[in-house]
Amino acid sequence: MVPFLGETAAFSAALCWATSSMIFSNIGGKVGAQTVNRGRLACSIFCLTILHWVMEGQPWPNAVTWEQLGWLSLSSILGLVIGDAMLFQAFVMLGARLSMLLMSTVPIMGAVLAWVLFDEILIPIEITGIACGVGGVLLVIVGKKGRPVGLAGRNYVVGILFGLGGAIGQVSNLITAKYALIGGYSALSATWIRTMVAVIAMWGFALLLGRVRRTVTVCIAPDVGKWLFLGALIGPAVGVWLSMLAVQNANVGIASTLMALPPVILIVFEGAILRKPVGWQAVMGTCLAFCGVALLFMH
């Protein structure tokens, strides 16, 4: 086994998601959240097919049990279809940084869910981590500086709810995907199957609603298509594959903590590189939320 393979994959996944979230947030504001979601899934399955061909020697998986297929399909519907539909709407309404901060509550929700549903005991340091995480997110949400321009009141609340909905979808996605990965099943093959299920579902809905032609027309436009393809390659293809590689090859807690870094990366990017006004509450809240996630898993 390559030393620190899982940890490196987890950190690389965080970088991929931070980058792709900025791309999708930008083009989603121009052409619509769900148009971008459908387009990036189509680009993702193309990228994953090429990647699977290179890495596994065949363009798509053929060794999958019906049980694994069932878990991966459920994971896809909960995470890539429902969860990501909400996340992409949050991207458009809130921007990449705040949306990804809300997604950092995924491990916190997972811990609380395990406590409620499975009677898992939370030790004091885990309770402290949950409190820090929730407190950090609340600190950012109530802060006014650094919010998207012109977003306030009801629309801001709706955007927050979409972001939290995306996080809930991701929690459900991770729990169900884990069952399919037991026994060393290829993370890349699992990613390909989950993405293909999402492509069938999302484009099937588009067909029923009569939006296929519009989606294709928008997505192949030069000013959208190149960015859509780049974002799909970096995030949904490479990023998701790296996340599953991380879960397989590293302690789940360490991997989860490293994969919760995108909001920290984005706040550094916005403040230090783009010179955007972020505000002390956003900085403190984001760091506090990340520390909460770290406490939850790094004990």
Side-chain angles (χ1 to χ4, degrees):
M1 181 181 293
V2 180
F4 302 110
L5 173 61
E7 291 82 354
T8 302
F11 182 70
S12 300
L15 287 173
C16 286
W17 290 334
T19 304
S20 65
S21 69
M22 288 186 289
I23 294 172
F24 291 141
S25 178
N26 184 45
I27 60 176
K30 297 176 181 177
V31 302
Q34 299 319 311
T35 298
V36 171
N37 195 11
R38 289 190 289 268
R40 65 99 194 187
L41 281 171
C43 292
S44 297
I45 198 63
F46 174 78
C47 296
L48 283 168
T49 300
I50 301 299
L51 191 60
H52 198 279
W53 205 338
V54 172
M55 301 294 293
E56 302 285 342
Q58 56 189 29
W60 47 75
N62 58 12
V64 61
T65 66
W66 283 108
E67 183 180 2
Q68 286 173 321
L69 183 60
W71 283 116
L72 291 171
S73 297
L74 180 60
S75 168
S76 177
I77 296 300
L78 294 174
L80 297 181
V81 176
I82 299 173
D84 278 3
M86 294 187 176
L87 174 61
F88 273 67
Q89 193 61 46
F91 277 155
V92 172
M93 298 183 74
L94 302 176
R97 177 176 56 82
L98 187 50
S99 298
M100 293 307 288
L101 176 65
L102 292 169
M103 290 300 288
S104 73
T105 61
V106 167
I108 296 170
M109 290 181 182
V112 174
L113 193 64
W115 172 58
V116 173
L117 297 180
F118 307 119
D119 295 324
E120 291 188 9
I121 297 174
L122 293 173
I123 61 176
I125 194 169
E126 291 174 327
I127 296 172
T128 303
I130 290 171
C132 286
V134 173
V137 172
L138 287 175
L139 187 62
V140 177
I141 289 173
V142 299
K144 295 187 181 297
K145 193 172 184 179
R147 288 187 188 183
V149 178
L151 186 64
R154 180 179 178 276
N155 288 337
Y156 184 63
V157 173
V158 171
I160 296 295
L161 291 176
F162 273 123
L164 291 174
I168 293 170
Q170 185 66 11
V171 172
S172 307
N173 155 42
L174 291 174
I175 291 173
T176 47
K178 185 72 174 175
Y179 286 105
L181 292 171
I182 293 173
Y185 187 69
S186 167
L188 184 55
S189 294
T191 304
W192 190 96
I193 292 170
R194 291 171 66 248
T195 306
M196 178 54 78
V197 171
V199 167
I200 294 169
M202 289 298 292
W203 283 88
F205 289 142
L207 184 63
L208 290 174
L209 296 173
R211 295 178 181 172
V212 170
R213 179 177 293 182
R214 178 188 180 277
T215 301
V216 172
T217 302
V218 169
C219 291
I220 63 174
D223 60 332
V224 175
K226 61 184 178 182
W227 290 108
L228 190 62
F229 185 82
L230 180 62
L233 176 63
I234 294 172
V238 178
V240 172
W241 170 51
L242 287 170
S243 73
M244 293 202 166
L245 200 62
V247 170
Q248 279 189 320
N249 293 279
N251 176 281
V252 175
I254 295 174
S256 299
T257 302
L258 290 171
M259 287 188 290
L261 276 170
V264 178
I265 295 170
L266 286 168
I267 206 167
V268 170
F269 180 79
E270 284 194 8
I273 298 176
L274 297 183
R275 303 292 182 180
K276 287 185 178 181
V278 176
W280 70 266
Q281 279 181 286
V283 175
M284 292 294 295
T286 300
C287 293
L288 184 61
F290 175 72
C291 289
V293 174
L295 280 176
L296 196 59
F297 289 117
M298 299 291 285
H299 59 81

